[in-house]
Amino acid sequence: EPEVTQTPSHQVTQMGQEVILRCVPISNHLYFYWYRQILGQKVEFLVSFYNNEISEKSEIFDDQFSVERPDGSNFTLKIRSTKLEDSAMYFCASRQGSYNSPLHFGNGTRLTVT
Amino acid sequence: EDQVTQSPEALRLQEGESSSLNCSYTVSGLRGLFWYRQDPGKGPEFLFTLYSAGEEKEKERLKATLTKKESFLHITAPKPEDSATYLCAVQVRDNFNKFYFGSGTKLNVKP
C-alpha cells in the first residue's frame, strides 16, 4: 500500500539554526500538508499546499516557516531560525483530489531544538 | 468557532470489555468526520470516514457511527493490540482543505 515517507525520523538542532524536513507524499495525491504535534497535545495544522502554492496557513506558520515542492515527488518544510518552542513532532500528510478524501500521514520527524 | 472534543481523555479496559469513545463537534457545516489511530511515535493511521448522520462503518472490532452532533467509535471485545490513541478530525463544508482534530482518547487494553 502506498505511504507517505518522511526523513529524517529525528533531527536535533541548536536554537537559531535552519532545518529542512523532507516528505515524499503518495504519488497520485494532489494536496499536501504539514501538521505538528507537541508532546501530549493536539495535532495542529500548519500549512496546506496545492498546485504549487500555499492554499492555507495557520497563525503558527509565520515568516520563519516556508514550504516547497522542488520536484515532482518531494515536499519540504523549512524552519529558518529554530526556537526552543519549535520542538515537536512534524507530520507530513497528503490526500487525493476529491473533496472528501482523507489525510494520509507519514510517521513524522521528531524535531528537538536545544 | 469550530470545535472538536473527544472523551474520555483516557480509557483503560480489560481484554474483551467493550466500550465506546466519543467525538462531539460544533462546526458550521460538516463535510466529513474522520477517525484515526495513532501509535506512540507514529503518524495517525486512517480508519474511517463518515459523511452523514446515521452512517456507520465497521472494521474488525471497531464500528464508527455518526449523528448530527457527535460520533462514536465502538470497540467490541478489544484486544491488547487495540491499545493506541484514537483521534477524530472534522472537515467543514465551507473549507474542505481544513481538518480540525480532537485531542484524542488514549486507550489501554489490559490482557
Side-chain angles (χ1 to χ4, degrees):
Chain A
E1 187 176 322
E3 58 181 25
V4 176
T5 56
Q6 291 187 243
T7 55
S9 56
H10 193 186
Q11 175 91 49
V12 181
T13 189
Q14 288 191 328
M15 199 166 51
Q17 296 296 304
E18 174 183 289
V19 294
I20 297 176
L21 311 183
R22 303 178 192 281
C23 168
V24 179
I26 295 173
S27 62
N28 65 343
H29 286 189
L30 300 181
Y31 295 87
F32 313 113
Y33 302 79
W34 284 100
Y35 283 80
R36 79 173 185 190
Q37 188 175 33
I38 295 169
L39 190 62
Q41 296 187 24
K42 277 190 188 187
V43 174
E44 298 177 290
F45 169 75
L46 292 178
V47 66
S48 59
F49 193 86
Y50 171 71
N51 202 25
N52 283 320
E53 62 183 21
I54 291 173
S55 47
E56 190 148 0
K57 59 184 180 180
S58 72
E59 292 175 353
I60 304 167
F61 194 88
D62 61 22
D63 293 343
Q64 295 299 313
F65 291 89
S66 62
V67 289
E68 201 175 38
R69 188 156 161 83
D71 52 43
S73 58
N74 291 285
F75 181 49
T76 62
L77 174 69
K78 182 193 288 187
I79 310 175
R80 286 190 185 78
S81 178
T82 49
K83 307 184 192 74
L84 294 175
E85 54 264 37
D86 293 328
S87 295
M89 197 76 161
Y90 287 81
F91 292 109
C92 174
S94 67
R95 64 187 191 91
Q96 293 178 329
S98 60
Y99 290 156
N100 290 335
S101 55
L103 296 169
H104 292 269
F105 287 85
N107 277 328
T109 293
R110 180 171 298 285
L111 177 65
T112 303
V113 183
T114 61
Chain B
E1 183 182 324
D2 296 327
Q3 279 198 335
V4 180
T5 305
Q6 290 189 248
S7 62
E9 287 184 14
L11 181 62
R12 178 178 287 193
L13 299 173
Q14 286 297 127
E15 185 172 1
E17 180 187 0
S18 302
S19 188
S20 297
L21 283 52
N22 178 265
C23 171
S24 63
Y25 58 91
T26 51
V27 297
S28 49
L30 181 72
R31 179 175 291 279
L33 186 141
F34 304 83
W35 281 98
Y36 288 85
R37 171 191 170 125
Q38 186 175 26
D39 292 299
K42 303 284 188 183
E45 175 190 348
F46 170 68
L47 294 173
F48 303 110
T49 309
L50 300 163
Y51 297 111
S52 56
E55 190 174 1
E56 297 183 354
K57 293 273 179 73
E58 278 190 73
K59 182 179 179 179
E60 295 180 357
R61 295 176 293 282
L62 300 177
K63 183 166 87 171
T65 62
L66 181 65
T67 72
K68 288 186 177 178
K69 295 289 184 189
E70 58 193 348
S71 176
F72 291 93
L73 185 65
H74 307 277
I75 303 177
T76 303
K79 298 182 177 181
E81 53 262 40
D82 295 322
S83 297
T85 296
Y86 290 85
L87 303 172
C88 74
V90 164
Q91 183 188 32
V92 298
R93 189 169 297 281
D94 62 358
N95 186 352
F96 67 90
N97 211 22
K98 205 83 176 285
F99 292 76
Y100 298 90
F101 278 83
S103 298
T105 293
K106 187 172 183 178
L107 175 65
N108 187 5
V109 182
K110 295 288 193 184

